[in-house]
Amino acid sequence: MTTMTGRSDRTLLARLRHLYGDVFALVYLGLCAALTVWAFVASAGENEDASFAGVIPVLATAPASLVGLALPGGLPTFVFAVVMGALVNAAVIGWCSRRLRGGPTR
């Protein structure tokens, strides 16, 4: 909602709550966080497949995470790509959920 000056009267917290407040978006974000923690724990182990554990969170947050992985770097780039992918996908999931239920889109 905009005022006469053209500025929005919604706070940042209200916008974030609207964007990520849907139950399906929150479940998705929780799943992505759990997969990322699992990948860190699994890659710290001494088994032979430990190096492939990071693929699971990247695939769960694709396609946006694949764009983030194009940046140079190691662990910080991986974390950035997974977080960026999860946030973008959660916003899309929340928007789709609201549209399908007939709720407000803005």
Side-chain angles (χ1 to χ4, degrees):
M1 184 177 219
T2 58
T3 61
M4 295 276 260
T5 61
R7 295 185 346 173
S8 177
D9 61 351
R10 293 179 69 183
T11 65
L12 177 63
L13 186 59
R15 289 175 189 248
L16 289 174
R17 187 178 304 121
H18 177 73
L19 197 57
Y20 300 112
D22 188 72
V23 68
F24 293 109
L26 290 174
V27 167
Y28 175 76
L29 286 173
L31 177 69
C32 290
L35 286 173
T36 304
V37 169
W38 170 81
F40 282 126
V41 170
S43 59
E46 294 294 328
N47 57 12
E48 60 208 30
D49 294 332
S51 62
F52 291 110
V55 173
I56 302 299
V58 171
L59 290 178
T61 57
S65 63
L66 298 176
V67 174
L69 284 178
L71 299 172
L75 183 63
T77 301
F78 169 76
V79 172
F80 171 76
V82 170
V83 168
M84 180 188 66
L87 290 175
V88 168
N89 289 346
V92 171
I93 289 168
W95 179 82
C96 289
S97 175
R98 283 189 303 276
R99 290 292 290 186
L100 289 172
R101 284 185 280 141
T105 59
R106 290 199 70 141

